[in-house]
């Protein structure tokens, strides 16, 4: 199906475990983003990517790793999960073209770290 | 990116026009005004954006004052499904493409 998908939609893990959240888009958009949303903080940018093999830090990158070997995929890895990383994670993509660069968001992944 | 100020919450009756204000007094000449909304538990959804002229699409209208220091998002005939948090974001249209979300306005449409 066309669009942007995230998997898993729900994940429970334990402190110290490695977790990878997947994001896949079918539009061949250049830009992809990872946000987290916590109560009282709104959405905060974790990492973003302008193209395959190009990534950059956002507002809250500590504890996260990203990669982008293919344009359509942008996985987010928590190398050693902590309770403070319990959150809802949203992936987004954007064409990145002048005049046409709104972001399209996925449905989110609700992550609980015990 | 310029900072925006929005009311924390608003109510509107179903079928009436919902007018959501946003102040962005420090906006620069090359910054656009974007509006997104987030319906409960879903990812944010793009609504509309503009530079200085009023804009309209199938979802909403955007009215930007002549001095560009404030704007209003108008949902012409609000429905219960328009209940959401609405975010006003000011940013340049080129560059790193980052969005900085504030707290937004929680709009409740009442039957």
């Amino acid at each position: 199906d066309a669009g942007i998908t995230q998997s898993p939609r729900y994940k429970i893990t334990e402190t110290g475990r490695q977790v990878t959240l997947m994001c896949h888009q079918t539009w061949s958009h250049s830009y992809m983003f990872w946000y987290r949303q916590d109560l009282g903080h709104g959405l905060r940018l974790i990492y973003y990517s302008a193209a395959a093999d190009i990534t950059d830090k956002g507002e809250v990158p500590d504890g996260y790793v990203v990669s982008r070997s293919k344009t359509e995929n942008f996985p987010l890895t928590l190398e050693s999960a902590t309770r403070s990383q319990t959150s809802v994670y949203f992936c987004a993509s954007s064409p990145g073209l002048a005049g046409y660069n709104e972001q399209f968001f996925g449905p989110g992944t609700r992550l609980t770290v015990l | 990116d310029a900072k925006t100020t929005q009311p924390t919450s608003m109510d509107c009756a179903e079928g009436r026009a919902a007018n959501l204000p946003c102040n962005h007094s420090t906006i620069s000449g090359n910054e656009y005004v974007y509006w997104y909304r987030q319906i409960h538990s879903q990812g944010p959804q793009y609504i509309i954006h503009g530079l200085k002229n009023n804009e309209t699409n199938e979802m909403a209208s955007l009215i930007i004052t002549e001095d560009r220091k404030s704007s209003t998002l108008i949902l012409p005939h609000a429905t219960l499904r328009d209940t959401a948090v609405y975010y006003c974001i000011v940013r340049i249209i080129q560059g790193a493409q980052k969005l900085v979300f504030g707290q937004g306005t929680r709009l409740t449409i009442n039957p």
Side-chain angles (χ1 to χ4, degrees):
Chain A
D1 289 346
I4 184 165
T5 57
Q6 294 184 235
S7 61
R9 295 293 313 280
Y10 302 90
K11 176 73 175 178
I12 299 174
T13 191
E14 295 178 339
T15 301
R17 289 191 181 268
Q18 183 179 78
V19 177
T20 296
L21 309 184
M22 304 301 294
C23 179
H24 176 77
Q25 53 104 355
T26 61
W27 295 302
S28 299
H29 284 171
S30 296
Y31 283 85
M32 295 189 75
F33 308 82
W34 274 106
Y35 295 86
R36 60 177 289 175
Q37 186 170 34
D38 310 294
L39 284 175
H41 285 281
L43 284 114
R44 292 182 291 175
L45 182 65
I46 304 171
Y47 269 96
Y48 65 101
S49 167
D53 298 321
I54 300 175
T55 63
D56 208 347
K57 296 178 180 179
E59 182 185 356
V60 288
D62 293 343
Y64 303 94
V65 175
V66 293
S67 62
R68 193 159 176 216
S69 57
K70 293 183 178 181
T71 299
E72 61 267 29
N73 297 323
F74 191 38
L76 176 73
T77 298
L78 289 65
E79 292 190 303
S80 179
T82 65
R83 289 193 181 90
S84 65
Q85 292 177 309
T86 292
S87 186
V88 180
Y89 291 85
F90 290 102
C91 178
S93 71
S94 171
L97 302 173
Y100 180 52
N101 62 351
E102 57 264 38
Q103 291 186 19
F104 299 86
F105 285 78
T109 294
R110 186 174 296 273
L111 176 67
T112 301
V113 183
L114 302 176
Chain B
D1 293 337
K3 182 177 178 179
T4 62
T5 304
Q6 300 177 252
T8 302
S9 63
M10 294 182 63
D11 287 86
C12 180
E14 188 178 19
R16 304 295 293 270
N19 296 286
L20 292 90
C22 180
N23 287 321
H24 31 80
S25 58
T26 60
I27 192 170
S28 300
N30 62 346
E31 288 181 315
Y32 284 65
V33 180
Y34 282 76
W35 283 85
Y36 283 76
R37 73 179 182 183
Q38 187 175 23
I39 297 170
H40 181 63
S41 299
Q42 299 181 19
Q45 176 189 24
Y46 165 81
I47 301 173
I48 198 168
H49 74 277
L51 180 62
K52 55 183 178 181
N53 298 318
N54 298 338
E55 302 288 344
T56 296
N57 63 20
E58 64 278 6
M59 290 183 66
S61 295
L62 174 60
I63 308 298
I64 303 173
T65 58
E66 191 169 347
D67 63 8
R68 303 209 323 121
K69 293 184 177 181
S70 66
S71 60
T72 301
L73 177 74
I74 301 172
L75 308 178
H77 305 286
T79 71
L80 298 178
R81 289 176 294 180
D82 291 322
T83 292
V85 178
Y86 287 77
Y87 298 97
C88 170
I89 300 168
V90 173
R91 51 163 292 193
I92 59 174
I93 204 161
Q94 284 93 11
Q97 308 288 329
K98 294 182 287 186
L99 289 175
V100 178
F101 287 84
Q103 296 301 311
T105 296
R106 184 172 297 277
L107 175 67
T108 301
I109 306 300
N110 300 307

